[in-house]
Amino acid sequence: MAHDTTDDGMQASRRTFLKATGVATAAAATGAGVGTAAAQPDVDSLVGDLTLEQKAAQMTQVAISSFEAEPEESNVPDSFGVDTVGEYFSELGVGSILSGGAEPPSFDGETVVQGINALQEYNLENADHDIPFLYGVDATHGNGLLAGATVFPQRLNMGATRDLSLIEAAERHTSDATASMGAHWTFAPTTDLQRDPRWGRFFEGISEDPKLEADVSRVRARALEDDDRLTACVKHFAAYSIPNNGNDRAPASTSLRDLRTNILPPYREALKSEPGTVMVNSGSINGVPAHASHWLLTTLLRDTYGYEGMVISDWDDLNRMITNHDYAPDFETATEMAINAGVDMYMIGNGGDAPGPVQFIDTVVSLVEDGAIPMERIDEAVRRILELKADLGLFEQPTVDESRIETVLGGAQETAETMAKESMVLLKNTDDTLPLSGDESVLLTGPGVDSNGNNTRALMQHGGWTLGWQGASAGGPFPRQNLLEAELRARVGSLTHVPTSYENTTWWAGEGDGGNQQSDENGNFDFTAEQRSRVESAGPESDVVVVVLGEGTHNEGFGDRDELVLDESQQALLDTVVESTDDSAPIIGVMLAGSPRGSPETFSQLDALLFAGQPGSDGGVAIAETLVGEYNPSGKLPFSWPENVGTTPVQYTRYDPTSTGGTDNTAIYEYGHGLSYTDFEYGSVSVTQPTVGNPANQSEVTVSVEVTNTGRMAGEHIVEVFNTQSYGSVLQPRRRLLGYERVSLGPGELTTVDVTVDLTALEVVPGDVLGLGPKVVEAGEYELTVGQDGPTATLTVQNTASITDPDPVPGLPDGSGSTPGRGNNGNNGNGNNTSRDPTMEDVVDLLDEVRGRS
Ligand code: BGC
Ligand code: BGC
């Protein structure tokens, strides 16, 4: 990966200069904008010039639903204390705005860029300071906020490719496309380990393997900052993805051992790219809301990881300490806890009962005046915010060139198409059903069309965060896209299309009727009598049937599900297909879903099954080319496919045993599963340095393995090296990924593939149940296995040593122990935590204080 080094270097120097001088760098301004250029400010003196109110306002981010500063009809929430979007600047002087949910006030690129420029000019003319605002959006898989944009495959598909340089190329385009629309900030990458398919955000995870999640997160965080005008956001720090019951923002409990071995490394690795911002986990962990955790946000993130960027809350999460977690009795307490814990900016959503910007600013001011939040803590937060703005070049050039968006939007087609193809995972292919010859008459069926005749399958192809929070609307607008029906029709003898019903259930549907909960299927699916008779008449005429299966678009808590079954109408459709086709006509499933769906019984009715995930803009071409063999599938599952929800989570890195009873809880398709139209065979394997003296001095070895394409078709293959057997002082995972490499081989071709094996992936936290000690690679023998059950080799580690984490967990007595949120009370009073554990007295004080306020 040639650009790794170069980029690391560039990135580092940009930020390092910033740190060294305390003054923003003139990161070579990008192109000409339309605003007035000002000189870079001296951040320290700027902080000194601001009043306390102005500082609190810089710490405020507010969601906007209009780009008009003074629209005729205001859409600012009543409770927010101002009348127009313009007054956020003229009256309050807020530091940042956002369009959450991938939903800007307009989906038209030009309208957005003009609106943002106009608003920035309004801000600079009318605010009582000369500080540009930061505009943040969720560009999570491409700039999925604009009609005609290229959306890349969802994160789950990215993980299936194992292709770091391709993912990096994609995120460079996202960076460009997002900066061109006038945004300065994308709330990406999501680096939460993907573990529980009941969770409505499973599709946002790269992998259940910590190394893969970490590698991809690192390159994404870096590439998203490729445009100097865009900053990334590593989120959601930390442990957002492991709520015990699988529901979004529900409590998570885990051990320090699991945290330090599996959950934290992806965030930490992503932080190596020095992203400008970090977003906090909206949930609670081991009994503490992350937003109140001084340990997470300061002791770990700042003091241990050395992170110097800015920390933003998630959506309304200070308020959620009251409404969700029932932890803080009132907004004052929540605000005090969050800011003292380390939150620098508060993301304020769309109103309702939640406190708005005026209340937040007033609350911060009075907490500082009362001495509950040290002034130094406020100055630190504001300095970070202003440094970020300066680093992005906003003072020098507050607005952007309005013509650029048009040239960028919809670009990177080749990257998106390659990524979609590389992410196709062929789960099953009995008797070489696939590829099709291309001469067949095909019946294509499965969801979706809605009752208005809209093509709702397009929504299944893109998933959430695509021109809308829960995904695009059925009637559009849509990103640039090609769709399966047309692409397949162009590649086969003839095609009959019988789309079945899929109504996109919006999250607000059902209000007053059990709440805003989506169905477990994430959509309303149906198979009408009319559709049935069309399938029954087309079935006998067809050489082959392609049945689309899957789930509807969803996001966050509205995507949570208690079951992973396919909707029963999809099962009814499949039964009808089986009944109405000749035994010689194969049935092929194509699954469009952001999670593992369906049961072994259903899969047994299929001759072949292609898991397409949510492949984005170029999903149509990718699926069609794969079905006819113009592309030879090479993707591998980045997660384990559970048989049913009762066995989740069933990540392959789990400890043994899964069960000692009669239940077989193994996955139906393991992490790493994925078939090809050709065969790859492994020959001999060797480790270039089979004995490592001290892993602290040597953290990598190379495994070389011969791979031959023994089939008749060219193809790509991902060689993965796992540790499969080892003994240590604590349980070892069943398997864990140490390295991987994607290779391309012609028919009959043999090559030797060198896979870099990363010994940090072997680190464990030794010691008894607490898991507090340094993380180490323990001395011993490690069995290395190539692929699922390929050849093995032995790696011997002679000395136990730490590579990443040589110190005991921070926060122990004489570390920097703290009481959550209020941990600063009774310490040195400047927001820096002192080095001691809370005493019984501290705890009593804390309880009194919390109760006293309720
Ligand atoms: C999500 C974040 C997102 C934010 C803004 C929150 O609900 O948890 O991931 O960045 O909204 O849309
Ligand atoms: C916003 C999303 C946000 C969600 C949080 C929605 O109204 O559009 O950005 O993620 O609320 O609950």
Side-chain angles (χ1 to χ4, degrees):
M1 299 240 323
H3 25 246
D4 272 17
T5 8
T6 335
D7 282 7
D8 270 335
M10 278 167 52
Q11 198 72 35
S13 62
R14 179 153 70 104
R15 302 254 183 242
T16 311
F17 179 64
L18 181 78
K19 280 167 213 153
T21 59
V23 178
T25 55
T30 51
V34 296
T36 17
Q40 285 287 31
D42 177 272
V43 169
D44 278 328
S45 63
L46 196 50
V47 174
D49 289 345
L50 296 179
T51 64
L52 177 54
E53 279 84 356
Q54 287 174 322
K55 289 175 187 173
Q58 283 303 307
M59 296 168 70
T60 306
Q61 181 183 64
V62 56
I64 53 155
S65 44
S66 164
F67 290 127
E68 277 179 74
E70 284 161 0
E72 278 174 26
E73 234 174 285
S74 169
N75 27 26
V76 167
D78 286 345
S79 59
F80 273 17
V82 294
D83 292 326
T84 61
V85 166
E87 285 178 9
Y88 286 143
F89 308 107
S90 60
E91 300 294 312
L92 307 181
V94 301
S96 181
I97 53 174
L98 86 147
S99 290
E103 187 160 3
S106 164
F107 291 123
D108 174 63
E110 220 175 297
T111 308
V112 173
V113 72
Q114 286 169 2
I116 282 298
N117 276 350
L119 211 51
Q120 188 71 282
E121 280 164 2
Y122 184 93
N123 167 47
L124 292 173
E125 276 159 30
N126 293 284
D128 56 5
H129 53 64
D130 298 319
I131 305 174
F133 63 69
L134 276 171
Y135 175 44
V137 299
D138 293 280
T140 62
H141 61 128
N143 177 356
L145 291 94
L146 298 178
T150 290
V151 298
F152 295 106
Q154 286 285 3
R155 278 56 62 81
L156 175 151
N157 289 64
M158 292 183 188
T161 70
R162 313 289 199 272
D163 192 337
L164 297 184
S165 48
L166 185 67
I167 294 169
E168 187 157 13
E171 296 298 22
R172 283 167 192 271
H173 174 75
T174 304
S175 183
D176 193 12
T178 309
S180 309
M181 74 173 237
H184 312 119
W185 186 0
T186 176
F187 306 127
T190 305
T191 63
D192 309 302
L193 191 72
Q194 175 193 55
R195 200 176 253 187
D196 194 328
R198 295 171 300 175
W199 188 39
R201 302 188 78 162
F202 188 79
F203 70 99
E204 297 195 60
I206 297 291
S207 176
E208 69 186 23
D209 185 274
K211 174 173 166 59
L212 182 55
E213 179 80 47
D215 287 349
V216 172
S217 298
R218 184 189 62 246
V219 303
R220 292 184 69 208
R222 177 177 55 221
L224 283 168
E225 295 199 347
D226 187 51
D227 191 303
D228 285 339
R229 299 272 297 192
L230 200 80
T231 191
C233 185
V234 164
K235 70 185 191 185
H236 306 79
F237 192 75
Y240 179 40
S241 56
I242 55 163
N244 298 4
N245 66 359
N247 288 346
D248 192 36
R249 296 172 163 87
S253 305
T254 188
S255 65
L256 269 168
R257 178 164 288 123
D258 185 35
L259 270 177
R260 297 173 65 212
T261 312
N262 301 305
I263 308 291
L264 293 172
Y267 303 102
R268 189 175 190 179
E269 194 64 23
L271 293 176
K272 286 189 182 161
S273 298
E274 300 195 36
T277 70
V278 164
M279 190 187 295
V280 184
N281 165 16
S282 194
S284 66
I285 165 135
N286 293 348
V288 180
H291 284 79
S293 173
H294 189 272
W295 185 80
L296 273 179
L297 303 184
T298 299
T299 310
L300 193 68
L301 183 65
R302 305 288 183 189
D303 304 345
T304 310
Y305 295 172
Y307 180 65
E308 300 192 13
M310 191 253 277
V311 170
I312 181 155
S313 80
D314 201 348
W315 183 273
D316 280 339
D317 270 337
L318 272 47
N319 191 53
R320 277 201 261 234
M321 277 200 253
I322 308 167
T323 57
N324 267 29
H325 302 298
D326 202 5
Y327 179 69
D330 51 44
F331 192 62
E332 285 68 35
T333 313
T335 305
E336 180 187 343
M337 287 175 165
I339 294 180
N340 281 335
V343 172
D344 298 320
M345 183 182 276
Y346 183 31
M347 180 192 285
I348 299 178
N350 287 331
D353 295 332
V358 172
Q359 196 175 339
F360 175 66
I361 294 167
D362 288 351
T363 303
V364 171
V365 168
S366 71
L367 286 167
V368 175
E369 284 170 351
D370 293 350
I373 300 177
M375 192 64 187
E376 291 82 351
R377 174 68 198 97
I378 299 293
D379 285 347
E380 177 183 65
V382 175
R383 191 175 307 111
R384 288 177 185 143
I385 292 163
L386 297 180
E387 277 177 354
L388 178 61
K389 292 181 179 187
D391 192 25
L392 292 168
L394 302 192
F395 287 98
E396 290 172 309
Q397 188 55 67
T399 54
V400 289
D401 177 351
E402 293 178 2
S403 63
R404 188 156 74 110
I405 186 67
E406 214 193 331
T407 64
V408 177
L409 207 61
Q413 172 154 6
E414 206 183 313
T415 304
E417 189 179 309
T418 307
M419 187 184 278
K421 288 178 186 167
E422 289 189 2
S423 72
M424 296 288 125
V425 183
L426 184 61
L427 294 175
K428 175 176 178 176
N429 194 20
T430 309
D431 296 335
D432 294 336
T433 299
L434 289 174
L436 302 177
S437 71
D439 299 329
E440 294 91 344
S441 65
V442 176
L443 166 61
L444 171 66
T445 184
V449 64
D450 72 7
S451 45
N452 298 317
N454 293 310
N455 177 341
T456 46
R457 190 175 299 148
L459 310 183
M460 297 170 72
Q461 178 171 327
H462 301 304
W465 304 113
T466 313
L467 283 86
W469 180 34
Q470 303 283 314
S473 299
F478 290 104
R480 178 183 69 72
Q481 60 186 12
N482 47 61
L483 302 172
L484 177 58
E485 182 202 342
E487 296 301 332
L488 191 57
R489 191 183 292 284
R491 289 174 172 82
V492 293
S494 67
L495 186 138
T496 305
H497 188 212
V498 185
T500 61
S501 306
Y502 158 46
E503 301 286 336
N504 178 24
T505 50
T506 47
W507 62 275
W508 56 87
E511 198 163 4
D513 181 23
N516 298 333
Q517 193 58 46
Q518 282 194 346
S519 61
D520 283 332
E521 299 82 8
N522 299 122
N524 283 341
F525 296 90
D526 200 6
F527 181 40
T528 64
E530 195 246 321
Q531 291 159 358
R532 181 186 299 268
S533 70
R534 289 183 64 201
V535 168
E536 282 168 348
S537 65
E541 311 297 315
S542 307
D543 301 325
V544 55
V545 186
V546 175
V547 188
V548 173
L549 303 166
E551 65 183 19
T553 182
H554 57 270
N555 205 344
E556 296 183 29
F558 301 113
D560 295 344
R561 62 302 284 265
D562 301 327
E563 301 193 60
L564 298 173
V565 292
L566 290 167
D567 182 80
E568 52 188 26
S569 69
Q570 294 183 37
Q571 184 58 55
L573 165 65
L574 194 53
D575 292 342
T576 306
V577 166
V578 171
E579 283 156 22
S580 48
T581 45
D582 191 85
D583 279 354
S584 63
I587 303 171
I588 295 155
V590 170
M591 191 170 298
L592 289 173
S595 65
R597 290 286 182 161
S599 64
E601 294 72 35
T602 306
F603 297 165
S604 70
Q605 293 173 289
L606 299 168
D607 298 285
L609 175 57
L610 182 69
F611 181 66
Q614 295 170 324
S617 284
D618 298 289
V621 168
I623 298 169
E625 285 200 9
T626 306
L627 293 178
V628 303
E630 284 173 39
Y631 181 75
N632 187 353
S634 60
K636 288 194 180 291
L637 278 184
F639 59 87
S640 306
W641 195 295
E643 177 167 339
N644 59 56
V645 79
T647 65
T648 59
V650 68
Q651 74 275 5
Y652 86 115
T653 53
R654 67 189 183 271
Y655 298 135
D656 274 326
T658 310
S659 158
T660 56
T663 331
D664 177 15
N665 278 337
T666 50
I668 32 181
Y669 297 116
E670 277 269 6
Y671 169 99
H673 178 69
L675 305 171
S676 165
Y677 297 149
T678 187
D679 293 307
F680 294 97
E681 272 171 28
Y682 296 128
S684 65
V685 61
S686 64
V687 188
T688 41
Q689 306 91 339
T691 301
V692 169
N694 180 351
N697 302 331
Q698 188 188 346
S699 63
E700 288 179 356
V701 299
T702 303
V703 166
S704 300
V705 59
E706 281 179 357
V707 186
T708 312
N709 178 349
T710 58
R712 282 195 300 254
M713 209 169 159
E716 291 187 19
H717 179 68
I718 300 165
V719 181
E720 293 195 285
V721 176
F722 300 95
N723 166 226
T724 40
Q725 181 73 70
S726 47
Y727 297 93
S729 68
V730 291
L731 291 178
Q732 306 290 304
R734 292 171 65 253
R735 297 166 79 84
R736 53 191 151 179
L737 181 67
L738 304 181
Y740 48 94
E741 202 61 51
R742 186 179 255 278
V743 288
S744 179
L745 289 178
E749 199 183 341
L750 174 150
T751 191
T752 298
V753 182
D754 289 338
V755 181
T756 303
V757 158
D758 177 2
L759 300 190
T760 63
L762 290 174
E763 282 187 319
V764 294
V765 180
D768 214 317
V769 172
L770 296 182
L772 302 175
K775 242 174 110 178
V776 297
V777 182
E778 294 189 317
E781 292 198 341
Y782 294 86
E783 180 189 66
L784 309 183
T785 301
V786 182
Q788 298 295 84
D789 50 13
T792 61
T794 302
L795 172 74
T796 304
V797 172
Q798 286 175 322
N799 294 291
T800 297
S802 176
I803 306 169
T804 65
D805 212 354
D807 297 315
V809 76
L812 295 175
D814 268 338
S816 50
S818 65
T819 306
R822 296 303 181 92
N824 297 305
N825 289 344
N827 71 14
N828 61 8
N830 67 4
N832 297 322
N833 213 305
T834 48
S835 300
R836 66 180 179 83
D837 243 10
T839 61
M840 185 50 86
E841 224 171 274
D842 291 332
V843 174
V844 171
D845 279 357
L846 171 79
L847 285 175
D848 281 351
E849 205 172 329
V850 171
R851 288 197 187 111
R853 284 184 186 254
S854 47

